Amino acid sequence: MTVRVRMAPSPTGLLHIGGVHTFLFNWLFARGRDGACMLRIENTDTSREVQEATEQIQRSLTWLGIDWDGPVTFQLDAIERSRELAARLVEEGAAYEDEGAIRFRMPEEGVTGWDDAVRGRIEFPNEQLEDVVLVRSDGRPTYNFASPVEDMDDAITHVIRGDDHISNTPKQIQILHALGHEPPVYAHVASILGTDGKKLSKRHGAVSVDEFHEAGYLPDALVNFLALIGWAPDGETTIMTRDEIVERFTLEAVSASPGTFDHAKLDWMNGVYLRALAPDAYADEVVKYLGERGVDWPEDRVRAMAPLVQEKVARLGEIADFTRFLFEDVAPDPSLLDRRILEAAAQALAAVDDWTAAELEVALKRLCEDLGEKPRTVFAPIRVAVTGSRVSPGLYESLELLGRETSLERLRRGAELTA
Ligand code: GLU
């Protein structure tokens, strides 16, 4: 049996991190089994908002490297088919008309159950299942009808979705049986909670995939991080390539209890991914990221700056503020400057022949000795004068890249600012 799964977003806004988490599980499951992963938009109309959300969903998935097979399909296109099947069920006595709507006739006795691939056996007494509406009086099929119909027509083998759909499942199973179709395997993935144990929401910071892109997370890091929410190959492994995750992913190892979205862990992981990039690849990412955000700094200089920050930032979004002093003038806080040190530094550095980080280091260390001060005392005002901030990339490398003229000019101006 070839595995066939579907990612079925409702186009109601930006793709949420919880949604993409279940889509990732679908994708990992299919890709590890030579299966097919479809993208099905569960739209009930064709408004502009739907159009926009549909495009945004595809953009977000593409950015994350979560691809799909075949064309994107739309639930709305299944309207006619759903109506025909509903009419058939009415003819067969499995459904009935009720004030213009068509309702399914649920069995009144017995239980409906399934072996959930994540949660084990789940059963509902049939007396608890209401006669669910299949087609509304205005002719539109409901989600609970269109969805299993599409699962049947698309020959979906595994429905991997959020656990908020558990209560829909017995209804969908009954409908599929009435249609003469064997239901797929169901796997209900637990929702994601914030570190405070509450359902993940805006309160916890970024929640749409777009926001993570914007903040400068790498798709591979986000995928690695999301894969490990509610799934673990063993107790230890954290950093894994996409291929390794695909290879090791199984539904049996997905946890039935809610996973936690830990922003600090994501930042740590993203930093690991950023540092692991080859210098050129890292520079490419920085150039692309800044370019997409309309930062118009000269590319060769951005590339020269990249090695200064590769070890220092957890997100690409931190880079612009951190390195702005290399591209734009600075406005240091005079209270953090020190006239004696800055004048001495300007003089000492003016005598450096070879304006390289190595020579600048030698000169600045000698300056500390000459002034009889600790490096911390000497470097702090220099850093503020040159970078405009108390935190910056490495001082020697920053001075080198900034160049002799600008560096000396900023040291002298810093000294004057203290007066
Ligand atoms: N559109 C549903 C959702 O976004 C998915 C339903 C399903 O997978 O059956 O929650």
Side-chain angles (χ1 to χ4, degrees):
M1 178 187 67
T2 313
V3 160
R4 285 171 74 81
V5 299
R6 81 298 195 279
M7 308 184 279
S10 305
T12 47
L14 299 177
L15 188 57
H16 186 275
I17 207 73
V20 92
H21 176 248
T22 49
F23 298 161
L24 175 63
F25 281 15
N26 276 276
W27 185 85
L28 292 170
F29 184 70
R31 291 292 172 258
R33 284 157 193 76
D34 277 330
C37 181
M38 338 269 285
L39 178 56
R40 174 167 100 205
I41 309 289
E42 301 213 305
N43 60 328
T44 48
D45 65 56
T46 51
S47 65
R48 239 183 98 150
E49 291 77 41
V50 168
Q51 170 80 12
E52 271 166 31
T54 300
E55 282 163 16
Q56 193 271 340
I57 286 164
Q58 294 178 66
R59 260 204 320 276
S60 290
L61 290 174
T62 303
W63 175 68
L64 282 169
I66 299 177
D67 59 351
W68 54 92
D69 300 300
V72 180
T73 61
F74 295 87
Q75 193 150 82
L76 203 63
D77 295 338
I79 281 196
E80 274 315 313
R81 167 84 175 145
S82 299
R83 278 186 201 148
E84 280 166 29
L85 289 174
R88 197 182 99 194
L89 291 176
V90 172
E91 260 170 46
E92 293 170 357
Y96 59 93
E97 286 186 48
D98 175 25
E99 293 188 27
I102 298 178
R103 279 185 187 277
F104 188 77
R105 203 185 300 281
M106 283 293 169
E108 272 153 30
E109 286 165 17
V111 293
T112 305
W114 71 96
D115 293 312
D116 197 280
V118 170
R119 313 176 72 96
R121 187 76 191 162
I122 301 181
E123 288 183 348
F124 284 81
N126 288 336
E127 63 187 0
Q128 279 180 13
L129 308 178
E130 84 265 14
D131 283 0
V132 61
V133 172
L134 303 178
V135 180
R136 299 179 185 88
S137 55
D138 65 5
R140 282 183 305 133
T142 57
Y143 156 74
N144 267 325
F145 190 43
S147 185
V149 163
E150 287 205 281
D151 290 340
M152 173 175 83
D153 287 352
D154 290 339
I156 297 300
T157 60
H158 295 74
V159 166
I160 304 167
R161 62 183 170 194
D163 61 4
D164 48 329
H165 289 287
I166 288 178
S167 62
N168 289 324
T169 303
K171 300 171 197 165
Q172 298 181 5
I173 288 175
Q174 284 296 340
I175 290 168
L176 287 170
H177 278 149
L179 292 170
H181 188 79
E182 195 52 42
V185 173
Y186 292 93
H188 287 96
V189 178
S191 46
I192 302 182
L193 306 180
T195 41
D196 58 359
K198 303 233 167 79
K199 208 169 148 62
L200 197 64
S201 75
K202 205 71 216 154
R203 260 182 312 116
H204 298 97
V207 285
S208 80
V209 174
D210 268 2
E211 288 171 289
F212 289 94
H213 184 181
E214 192 63 35
Y217 292 96
L218 294 178
D220 283 344
L222 193 52
V223 161
N224 190 160
F225 172 78
L226 287 174
L228 292 173
I229 299 182
W231 172 76
D234 51 49
E236 301 142 38
T237 316
T238 46
I239 304 291
M240 275 179 282
T241 64
R242 203 179 278 254
D243 288 347
E244 193 181 347
I245 300 171
V246 164
E247 202 176 296
R248 300 180 75 172
F249 184 83
T250 63
L251 290 173
E252 290 70 38
V254 172
S255 160
S257 36
T260 305
F261 194 101
D262 181 349
H263 272 273
K265 179 175 171 188
L266 173 60
D267 279 1
W268 166 78
M269 195 172 272
N270 201 58
V272 171
Y273 270 82
L274 286 174
R275 288 191 292 279
L277 290 173
D280 279 352
Y282 183 79
D284 290 344
E285 290 290 344
V286 176
V287 167
K288 185 167 73 168
Y289 179 84
L290 293 177
E292 282 169 359
R293 261 126 220 107
V295 177
D296 61 351
W297 295 341
E299 183 177 327
D300 54 343
R301 211 166 155 74
V302 170
R303 287 187 179 279
M305 158 274 269
L308 272 61
V309 293
Q310 186 164 8
E311 297 291 321
K312 305 259 177 184
V313 302
R315 288 175 278 110
L316 296 170
E318 295 168 47
I319 293 177
D321 282 346
F322 200 50
T323 61
R324 189 169 310 268
F325 72 95
L326 291 166
F327 303 88
E328 296 168 18
D329 202 4
V330 295
D333 175 351
S335 73
L336 301 173
L337 300 171
D338 180 304
R339 188 182 191 105
R340 179 179 73 105
I341 289 172
L342 291 176
E343 278 177 350
Q347 206 172 20
L349 294 189
V352 170
D353 282 333
D354 198 7
W355 195 265
T356 60
E359 290 299 311
L360 292 161
E361 178 173 359
V362 171
L364 285 173
K365 285 190 170 151
R366 196 179 311 122
L367 176 67
C368 295
E369 282 166 27
D370 292 350
L371 291 172
E373 301 280 6
K374 292 202 181 78
R376 196 166 7 114
T377 314
V378 176
F379 290 5
I382 296 178
R383 189 186 298 276
V384 171
V386 170
T387 72
S389 169
R390 273 187 291 193
V391 281
S392 78
L395 184 56
Y396 316 131
E397 291 79 9
S398 295
L399 287 165
E400 176 184 317
L401 192 56
L402 198 57
R404 176 193 297 272
E405 208 180 313
T406 309
S407 300
L408 294 179
E409 205 251 338
R410 288 188 187 173
L411 290 171
R412 289 180 187 130
R413 202 181 46 186
E416 280 161 25
L417 276 171
T418 61

